[in-house]
């Protein structure tokens, strides 16, 4: 099993550009999560999903959108990139909402 | 949500036991103690969790005090590859608890294992 995979690994965006961060898992987990981690800080939850078609906001959702059309995939969309969105983004999945979360390798995003 | 307090950094000699403390004095009865670690630039990795009994797995041991207000993660024979940030997280596994399902990461403890 590949576990949780994320693409791309690195990306540089200009202010106002948009992009989609991809996340996929092959563990048949219903629950998926997006976190961001700013330098020297812990992770903060952006959005999560409890199954295909169902998403909810986390702690810091502003500036982001998500969708969940399949169990395997949970993309994160940035519509108008801002320098404050410069961060490392981690995707995670779990079998249950209170289950152990397994993390992907992260996407390092810089907005200039 | 119960909050946790960890020392910002610790050192450990290779081959020795690393004992990482965590205070969670406001923990409630249905909240578990979870430990994750993050090796530089990688995603967090689950280590262990427990409610009130001591727990051990292939990676580490978790010692929780009787009053559950603090815990210690023990890496029995630390190696250079154990250098990482270690996060202690309190989390409810019961629906209805304010920390249900949430993984709230603080700043953790930077553990440096040296030769």
């Amino acid at each position: 099993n590949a576990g949780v995979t994320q693409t791309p690994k690195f990306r540089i965006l200009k202010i106002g550009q948009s992009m989609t961060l991809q996340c996929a898992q092959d563990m048949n987990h219903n629950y998926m999560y997006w976190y961001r981690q700013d330098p020297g800080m812990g992770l903060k939850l952006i959005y999560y999903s409890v199954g295909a078609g169902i998403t909810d906001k986390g702690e810091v959702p502003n500036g982001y959108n998500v969708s969940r059309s399949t169990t395997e995939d949970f993309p994160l969309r940035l519509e108008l990139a801002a320098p404050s969105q410069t961060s490392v983004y981690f995707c995670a999945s779990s079998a249950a909402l209170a289950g152990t979360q397994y993390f992907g390798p992260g996407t390092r995003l810089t907005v200039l | 949500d119960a909050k946790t307090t960890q020392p910002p950094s610790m050192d450990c000699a290779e081959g020795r036991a690393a004992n990482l403390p965590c205070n969670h004095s406001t923990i409630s009865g249905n909240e578990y103690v979870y430990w994750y670690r993050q090796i530089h630039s990688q995603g967090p990795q689950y280590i262990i969790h427990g409610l009130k009994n001591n727990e051990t797995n292939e990676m580490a041991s978790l010692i929780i005090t009787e009053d559950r207000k603090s815990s210690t993660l023990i890496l029995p024979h630390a190696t250079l590859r154990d250098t990482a940030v270690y996060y202690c997280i309190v989390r409810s596994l019961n629906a209805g608890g304010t920390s249900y399902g949430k993984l709230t990461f603080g700043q953790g403890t930077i553990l440096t294992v040296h030769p």
Side-chain angles (χ1 to χ4, degrees):
Chain A
N1 285 350
V4 179
T5 57
Q6 293 183 240
T7 56
K9 285 188 169 58
F10 304 94
R11 184 71 186 269
I12 298 175
L13 282 182
K14 294 182 179 178
I15 294 172
Q17 286 186 320
S18 62
M19 77 163 292
T20 299
L21 283 68
Q22 301 291 345
C23 174
Q25 52 93 9
D26 62 1
M27 297 176 280
N28 202 31
H29 286 169
N30 282 328
Y31 299 85
M32 296 187 74
Y33 314 82
W34 274 105
Y35 293 86
R36 61 176 284 174
Q37 185 175 33
D38 298 332
M41 305 297 288
L43 281 71
K44 293 186 178 179
L45 183 65
I46 306 171
Y47 271 96
Y48 67 100
S49 169
V50 302
I54 307 170
T55 63
D56 206 350
K57 296 177 181 178
E59 186 182 0
V60 289
N62 291 344
Y64 307 94
N65 282 303
V66 293
S67 59
R68 183 98 179 270
S69 57
T70 67
T71 299
E72 295 77 19
D73 301 299
F74 189 38
L76 178 71
R77 178 92 179 151
L78 283 71
E79 290 294 350
L80 291 170
S84 60
Q85 293 177 306
T86 294
S87 193
V88 182
Y89 291 84
F90 291 102
C91 179
S93 73
S94 64
L97 187 58
T100 298
Q101 292 184 19
Y102 298 91
F103 286 80
T107 293
R108 188 175 298 273
L109 177 67
T110 302
V111 182
L112 300 175
Chain B
D1 292 358
K3 294 186 178 174
T4 62
T5 304
Q6 299 177 251
S9 64
M10 295 183 66
D11 287 336
C12 178
E14 190 177 20
R16 304 296 294 268
N19 298 290
L20 290 88
C22 179
N23 284 323
H24 31 78
S25 58
T26 59
I27 193 170
S28 63
N30 65 356
E31 289 181 317
Y32 285 66
V33 180
Y34 271 73
W35 284 84
Y36 275 75
R37 74 180 182 183
Q38 188 174 22
I39 296 169
H40 181 62
S41 297
Q42 298 181 22
Q45 177 188 24
Y46 166 79
I47 302 173
I48 198 167
H49 73 282
L51 182 63
K52 54 184 176 182
N53 297 321
N54 298 339
E55 302 288 344
T56 295
N57 63 20
E58 64 278 3
M59 288 183 68
S61 294
L62 175 60
I63 309 297
I64 302 174
T65 58
E66 193 168 341
D67 63 7
R68 302 210 322 122
K69 293 185 177 182
S70 65
S71 60
T72 301
L73 178 74
I74 301 173
L75 307 178
H77 305 287
T79 70
L80 299 179
R81 288 176 294 181
D82 291 322
T83 293
V85 181
Y86 287 77
Y87 297 99
C88 171
I89 300 166
V90 169
R91 185 186 193 209
S92 174
L93 298 189
N94 297 324
T98 57
S99 65
Y100 177 60
K102 293 180 183 177
L103 273 183
T104 302
F105 290 81
Q107 293 192 266
T109 296
I110 301 171
L111 174 69
T112 303
V113 181
H114 51 85

